[in-house]
Amino acid sequence: MSSLRILLIGNGGREHALAWKLSQSPLVEAIVAVPGNGGTAGLPKVTNNTTVAADDYPALVELARKENLNLVVPGPEAPLVDGVEGFFREAGIPCFGPSKDAARLEGSKTFSKDFMKKHNIPTAAYENFSDFKKASEYLDSITHNVVIKATGLAAGKGVIIPQTKEEAHQALKEIMLDKQFGSAGDEVVIEEFLEGDELSILSFCDGTTIKSLPPAQDHKRIGEGDTGLNTGGMGCYAPTTIATPELIARIEREILQPTIEGTRKDGFPMRGCLFTGLMIGPDGPKVLEYNVRFGDPETQTVLPLLESDLAEIMWACAGLPLLHHVPVKVRQGFSTTVVVAAPGYPNSYPKNIPMQVQDSPDGITIFHAGTKLSDGQLLTSGGRVIAATATGSSLREAVDRAYEGVKLIQFDGMYYRKDIAHRAFRSSKQSEKLTYAQAGVSIDAGNELVDRIKAAVATTRRAGADAEIGGFGGEVDLSSAGYPGAPVLVGAIDGVGTKLIIAQKMDKHDTVGIDLVAMNVNDLVVQGAEPLMFLDYYGCSKLSVSVAASFVEGVAKGCIEASCALVGGETAEMPDLYTGDDYDAAGAAIGAMKVEQRLPRKDAMVEGDILIGLASSGVHSNGFSLVRKVVDKCGLKYADAAPWDASTTVGQSLLTPTRIYVKPLLKVLSSEGAAVKGMAHITGGGLTENVPRMLPKHLAADIDVATWDAPPVFRWLRQSVAPAEMARTFNNGIGMVVAVSQEGVDGVVAGLEAAGEKVYRIGKLVARGEDACVLRNLESWAV
């Protein structure tokens, strides 16, 4: 074999990984990437070429001749389905990829399903349709759940898993009539929905022999816990923990070998990389789909485990069938990839966001996907922007190191899942635990919304108001706004949430009025402001004077406790929007402070500053969608005796109002203000999300959760909710966290205790590593 000069077609993370691995081969002299990306541009032996379009196949042949390229590696599926291999075969240049006929295994879902049926390869029951009416009639005739697939190429997104018959009909309409995926939806496959665990196997093929890489498990959904929209893949790990040697042997015997033999018998021997997507269910492995190229992000995950020379393997597959004589050796250990996406992905997303990527240590590799270089500046150019891959001797080590790699990447609005490989770590007990997402509330979606609207909010900036979101309250510096000598106004707006449902079921409405005030005024005081006035809003189906009066009386009680005036409100009766006795409430608090009183003082924060926690009165007013789900799971009624406090009922205990911290904190700020550097109100997002909101980017909170006594209701909730979910949903007994200088902490604690607060020393500020809030002894919450 002479030195290899390779033409690599594509610009994604898969292509960066292929170029990275190929460039390590002593057989490879040069690689020309068309068009390549910001990552391939920095690899040894690799040159990006944008003078030729990746889909102009005659021009690619001419480029290969001009540059003396002698091996072609197409990355994406589109050129393979178009028949790019034939162009190079006619030119006498070997191509690592299937013929146009073989590429139909991916290019046509109907073709591949019929192929599996013909060769007795296990797959789900299915029917093919090109007529919308007949497809709709078939949906009405079946009772099992289905998967609907656009038969053509849809960039990995033409698969819809409807939850109801109505959703199935709507998906069919969007694919076949509305052409959501263009001509790919001219024909559809309606397939039986299979239950089980998915895994993917990448196999090298030379038309006769097939040799596989370790099985990997992709994470297609955008949200943690496998929720939300399908994507091209948000992360991956390999080898999968479910892939026992016995299972792998069965897959090779029943699926992979019959597939390679079937392609040869049918006259289109498969060469290149065969990607087999599998579902492992109670009946054993079944094929979900074939792809005829490397997967993304599977490629980034498995190639770091490959010890053999990738270039030698590809050459053995591209020409004469020589794969039988070439070893495919894999190192012991595990690999994990975490994909970092642009804000808004997989829906519309911005491009050209400046980004920085730090150098990675051994064992961690950054693979670029949607990136580009412009005048030396690295910019985002796609939805899935970049990924961090790491290897380790254990899966836990590989996962942890991959997330260390993510911290090397910075750009505004970046999003990544924080639970890659979660299925591998689940236990039977943990799988029974409930999450906030299962209760219908997504913290990640809320964070994503903030990222999405930041740009729009920024356009409203004016003198005195920076128009930034992410703090606890919004500020207007009246002096800068044209009122010399005036203070800074601070506003907060919030609601009570689904705690109102419990109030309605218990017919007790005064305490949630206190909650409404508390949620707002606590957000004011953390910024150093004194609440001055409050306005409320009450919306209902049919106005009940007694209920509304009780609620407003609670609001008034909260205002008295916070020393602010209830100056106005709005009552709206909307029978078409609400039903029955439903009502909703929101409120806004306005406060004021002098400029020098503004908190947090991030510039003053240093490592070693002490974190103190003020005890909460209970669940306060967040996380009740999950609380109610736990109550329902346990078979409790709100009138039942509370399992955590037999002296009261479930409903009465849960309606304990949110603690208002205004007076004690303002008193301490007036006497010990120099020692207080920041405060965080612990509401939605729990400790994990709220404490970092007061910190500078270089510092993190190091909190020991064993330093305080949580109210009994939290100990009860832990029986149904995992520790990490508890930490990012509830206050867990700490309603307010205060950052204080070491020298001033004693005075602050004494002042708060004198004002009636229960105070705990819960941690300190440290240099930031992977996480902005580190919770120690979290395992003590496991029940």
Side-chain angles (χ1 to χ4, degrees), residues 171-512:
L172 204 61
K173 176 180 177 293
E174 290 173 353
I175 294 175
M176 300 191 77
L177 299 184
D178 300 342
K179 299 298 182 184
Q180 181 177 352
F181 304 111
S183 60
D186 290 347
E187 191 173 21
V188 299
V189 177
I190 300 180
E191 188 176 284
E192 174 192 8
F193 176 75
L194 297 178
E195 300 273 3
D197 282 292
E198 289 190 43
L199 61 83
S200 306
I201 296 184
L202 302 183
S203 306
F204 296 108
C205 309
D206 67 356
T208 302
T209 302
I210 185 166
K211 293 185 178 182
S212 300
L213 290 163
Q217 192 168 69
D218 189 9
H219 296 61
K220 284 290 186 186
R221 301 281 190 171
I222 187 66
E224 291 171 16
D226 300 315
T227 58
L229 297 174
N230 264 341
T231 71
M234 292 304 298
C236 185
Y237 72 97
T240 59
T241 52
I242 62 170
T244 62
E246 294 77 16
L247 178 60
I248 294 299
R250 183 175 177 183
I251 291 170
E252 290 177 348
R253 182 176 65 254
E254 297 181 5
I255 294 172
L256 299 181
Q257 198 60 41
T259 298
I260 195 73
E261 291 174 1
T263 64
R264 188 175 68 253
K265 290 176 181 177
D266 287 356
F268 49 87
M270 175 64 202
R271 295 186 178 91
C273 178
L274 177 69
F275 175 124
T276 308
L278 299 154
M279 179 68 78
I280 313 302
D283 298 328
K286 292 186 178 181
V287 177
L288 294 174
E289 65 176 356
Y290 292 122
N291 294 323
V292 294
R293 37 72 188 181
F294 286 96
D296 186 336
E298 290 89 350
T299 306
Q300 297 92 304
T301 307
V302 296
L303 285 188
L305 297 175
L306 178 64
E307 289 185 337
S308 300
D309 190 320
L310 178 61
E312 184 181 13
I313 295 170
M314 286 183 165
W315 180 260
C317 295
L320 295 174
L322 300 174
L323 182 59
H324 178 72
H325 304 286
V326 175
V328 177
K329 292 183 180 179
V330 176
R331 60 176 284 191
Q332 294 294 311
F334 294 83
S335 179
T336 302
T337 298
V338 180
V339 172
V340 179
Y345 177 81
N347 293 318
S348 60
Y349 53 84
K351 296 182 180 180
N352 298 313
I353 303 173
M355 56 187 300
Q356 294 79 41
V357 180
Q358 301 174 41
D359 293 338
S360 56
D362 290 343
I364 299 176
T365 307
I366 305 299
F367 290 118
H368 293 238
T371 71
K372 66 179 181 181
L373 283 171
S374 178
D375 298 326
Q377 171 65 59
L378 189 63
L379 303 173
T380 68
S381 62
R384 291 188 299 160
V385 176
I386 198 166
T389 296
T391 56
S393 58
S394 68
L395 180 58
R396 180 77 269 169
E397 181 185 1
V399 169
D400 289 346
R401 297 200 72 197
Y403 280 107
E404 289 177 19
V406 170
K407 299 305 177 184
L408 303 174
I409 302 163
Q410 292 93 32
F411 63 89
D412 288 345
M414 58 184 275
Y415 169 79
Y416 59 94
R417 280 182 58 169
K418 300 179 177 64
D419 66 342
I420 300 304
H422 70 96
R423 289 184 292 253
F425 297 125
R426 68 189 174 194
S427 66
S428 59
K429 184 172 182 179
Q430 284 300 102
S431 66
E432 298 171 3
K433 299 286 187 177
L434 297 176
T435 66
Y436 211 11
Q438 289 173 331
V441 180
S442 172
I443 294 171
D444 295 322
N447 292 339
E448 181 185 354
L449 174 62
V450 171
D451 287 333
R452 289 285 299 275
I453 63 178
K454 277 183 177 178
V457 172
T459 63
T460 70
R461 187 176 290 122
R462 56 154 292 165
D466 289 335
E468 292 184 353
I469 55 176
F472 289 93
E475 298 179 0
V476 177
D477 186 338
L478 291 177
S479 182
S480 299
Y483 300 88
V488 176
L489 285 185
V490 184
I493 185 168
D494 209 343
V496 181
T498 60
K499 189 174 185 178
L500 288 174
I501 294 175
I502 301 176
Q504 291 160 20
K505 290 184 179 296
M506 295 295 294
D507 195 24
K508 180 176 173 58
H509 309 280
D510 56 339
T511 58
V512 286

Side-chain angles (χ1 to χ4, degrees), residues 731-744:
N731 67 63
N732 294 285
I734 298 294
M736 186 73 68
V737 174
V738 185
V740 187
S741 65
Q742 294 185 56
E743 58 273 18

Side-chain angles (χ1 to χ4, degrees), residues 434-641:
L434 297 176
T435 66
Y436 211 11
Q438 289 173 331
V441 180
S442 172
I443 294 171
D444 295 322
N447 292 339
E448 181 185 354
L449 174 62
V450 171
D451 287 333
R452 289 285 299 275
I453 63 178
K454 277 183 177 178
V457 172
T459 63
T460 70
R461 187 176 290 122
R462 56 154 292 165
D466 289 335
E468 292 184 353
I469 55 176
F472 289 93
E475 298 179 0
V476 177
D477 186 338
L478 291 177
S479 182
S480 299
Y483 300 88
V488 176
L489 285 185
V490 184
I493 185 168
D494 209 343
V496 181
T498 60
K499 189 174 185 178
L500 288 174
I501 294 175
I502 301 176
Q504 291 160 20
K505 290 184 179 296
M506 295 295 294
D507 195 24
K508 180 176 173 58
H509 309 280
D510 56 339
T511 58
V512 286
I514 300 172
D515 282 307
L516 184 63
V517 176
M519 297 300 287
N520 283 281
V521 296
N522 285 340
D523 277 354
L524 290 189
V525 75
V526 299
Q527 294 193 205
E530 177 186 1
L532 299 176
M533 61 181 180
F534 191 85
L535 301 96
D536 65 3
Y537 165 84
Y538 183 97
C540 60
S541 173
K542 183 178 180 180
L543 183 62
S544 168
V545 174
S546 62
V547 171
S550 179
F551 179 85
V552 175
E553 287 166 3
V555 172
K557 186 175 180 179
C559 285
I560 292 170
E561 191 173 344
S563 295
C564 68
L566 178 57
V567 298
E570 170 72 11
T571 301
E573 200 170 8
M574 296 177 287
D576 291 334
L577 185 60
Y578 299 98
T579 60
D581 296 327
D582 289 352
Y583 69 89
D584 195 9
I590 307 297
M593 64 185 178
K594 297 179 180 179
V595 173
E596 59 268 24
Q597 295 172 320
R598 180 187 281 127
L599 292 175
R601 295 188 290 118
K602 294 183 180 182
D603 291 342
M605 293 181 181
V606 296
E607 291 182 46
D609 282 345
I610 305 300
L611 296 174
I612 61 174
L614 279 61
S616 70
S617 56
V619 185
H620 283 183
S621 187
N622 63 279
F624 271 85
S625 293
L626 182 53
V627 171
R628 291 185 302 104
K629 194 169 184 69
V630 173
V631 169
D632 184 64
K633 173 196 170 189
C634 294
L636 292 171
K637 294 181 173 59
Y638 292 107
D640 291 344

Side-chain angles (χ1 to χ4, degrees), residues 631-656:
V631 169
D632 184 64
K633 173 196 170 189
C634 294
L636 292 171
K637 294 181 173 59
Y638 292 107
D640 291 344
W644 58 90
D645 184 0
S647 66
T648 187
T649 66
V650 172
Q652 291 280 359
S653 178
L654 291 176
L655 287 176
T656 301

